[in-house]
Structure formats: C-alpha cells, structure tokens
Amino acid sequence: PTGGDSMSECNCKHTARSEEERRALINRLRRIEGQVRGICRMVEEDAYCVDILTQTAAIASALSSFEVDLLSRHIKGCAVRDIKEGREDAADELIATVARLIK
C-alpha cells in the first residue's frame, strides 16, 4: 500500500492467485499467527526468557521463509509479466523490494 491503512483506501496493484496458492499462503500465515499467540501465552505465564527467544527465532525464520516463497512467486509471475509488457519500472520495483527484505 502506498498510503492509507487498508487495500480499499489506496490505489494498489493486485495479484491474481489460484485458490490453491492463496490457501497455501494463508495456511502458512495462520501457523505463524498461532506461534505468536503461543509466545503471548508464554509471556503471560512467565516462561523462561530463553524459551521465549527460541520461539521468536522460529517465527522470524518462518516469516523469512514466507517472504522468500512470496518473492519467488512474484518474480516468476508479476515481475516477468511486467517486464515482458515493457513496464520499465518493474526491475526498479523488484530491486527496491529485495533491498527492503535484506535490511
């Protein structure tokens, strides 16, 4: 999004996904969401710091893996399509996206 707090408030691009792809991405995010809820419970129950940190590292890894998967899908689909259609800014957008992810 380039402004606003929701998809309906911005002039966003969209990506058409198959139902299978959408389901797989959502399932991964829901697993991560469950891990975050688990950490909340651990904090509420005064769990040992190292145990909580172990779980936060697992979440960071899961998010990183999700990002790599989504970026791969973006490159193979959206970016390739945009470049083939002659959209000159597609490569710059991709470079900026990768730069944000590796920070």
Side-chain angles (χ1 to χ4, degrees), residues 53-64:
L53 290 168
T54 298
Q55 292 305 309
T56 61
I59 290 171
S61 177
L63 275 173
S64 179

Side-chain angles (χ1 to χ4, degrees), residues 57-69:
I59 290 171
S61 177
L63 275 173
S64 179
S65 177
F66 178 84
E67 290 173 340
V68 168
D69 181 40

Side-chain angles (χ1 to χ4, degrees), residues 10 32 40 51:
C10 68
I32 293 166
C40 287
D51 294 339

Side-chain angles (χ1 to χ4, degrees), residues 25-73:
L25 291 169
I26 289 171
N27 286 341
R28 289 179 79 172
L29 289 170
R30 287 190 175 143
R31 280 193 300 272
I32 293 166
E33 180 182 36
Q35 289 176 292
V36 172
R37 282 193 307 271
I39 289 175
C40 287
R41 282 190 300 276
M42 291 175 78
V43 171
E44 290 170 348
E45 297 168 1
D46 295 326
Y48 187 56
C49 297
V50 172
D51 294 339
I52 295 171
L53 290 168
T54 298
Q55 292 305 309
T56 61
I59 290 171
S61 177
L63 275 173
S64 179
S65 177
F66 178 84
E67 290 173 340
V68 168
D69 181 40
L70 192 59
L71 179 62
S72 173
R73 293 169 192 259

Side-chain angles (χ1 to χ4, degrees), residues 11-29:
N11 187 14
C12 298
K13 301 172 192 172
H14 295 276
T15 299
R17 293 182 178 89
S18 70
E19 187 58 35
E20 179 181 345
E21 180 181 12
R22 184 180 302 108
R23 193 176 320 115
L25 291 169
I26 289 171
N27 286 341
R28 289 179 79 172
L29 289 170

